[in-house]
Amino acid sequence: MLTGFDLDLARQITQTSNRIHGLFTQIHPPLERVLGPWLEHDAVSEVLSAWPNPAQLKHAGKTGIGAKLKKHRTRRHTAWSGAILKALDRQSVIVVGTDAAGLVIPHLARQMISLHDQRVGHELGIHGGGPPSSPRS
């Protein structure tokens, strides 16, 4: 029963990640190529939750993105924020649907964070003797 629950969480994480990949592939392929490998990292989900579209990411800048990544324990926060901004500069057109995707992406990013928290809580409950008070502390 517990293994099935963990598998369900893993599938939901994959599904949510794929939806984010798909949205960025449609609205900003260079950004998707940079963010894609990092989508499983909660710090990236936090960035996307705060700045869900290319214009907002560009406005946040390297300092804002780097600070958010650092706050959420990303060791390579400076390199990642620089890579995100370089990807933003690679596309000069605004694709139809970018604003609509910007409405959906923060919800998906928060869903990823929640699913990761549930999975960590589930694993701690099995291996640690009981559920933690806050899995992200």
Side-chain angles (χ1 to χ4, degrees), residues 26-94:
Q26 292 172 17
I27 65 168
H28 205 294
L31 187 57
E32 190 282 328
R33 283 191 289 278
V34 169
L35 291 177
W38 304 332
L39 279 179
E40 293 294 322
H41 200 293
D42 279 349
V44 173
S45 294
E46 293 286 353
V47 166
L48 293 177
S49 179
W51 304 294
N53 68 39
Q56 290 174 343
L57 283 166
K58 196 173 271 196
H59 181 72
K62 187 173 183 176
T63 305
I65 295 169
K68 178 75 78 174
L69 290 169
K70 185 176 181 180
K71 178 182 175 186
H72 293 283
R73 299 177 293 276
T74 304
R75 283 181 251 149
R76 300 196 61 222
H77 55 88
T78 304
W80 285 18
S81 59
I84 289 169
L85 287 176
K86 284 180 186 174
L88 290 169
D89 289 338
R90 287 190 203 118
Q91 181 169 317
S92 58
V93 298
I94 297 173

Side-chain angles (χ1 to χ4, degrees), residues 41-43 45-46 72-73 110 113-114 116-118 120-121 124 132-137:
H41 200 293
D42 279 349
S45 294
E46 293 286 353
H72 293 283
R73 299 177 293 276
R110 284 190 292 272
I113 294 165
S114 174
H116 284 145
D117 284 350
Q118 289 177 54
V120 168
L124 289 175
S133 59
S134 175
R136 295 190 74 208
S137 55

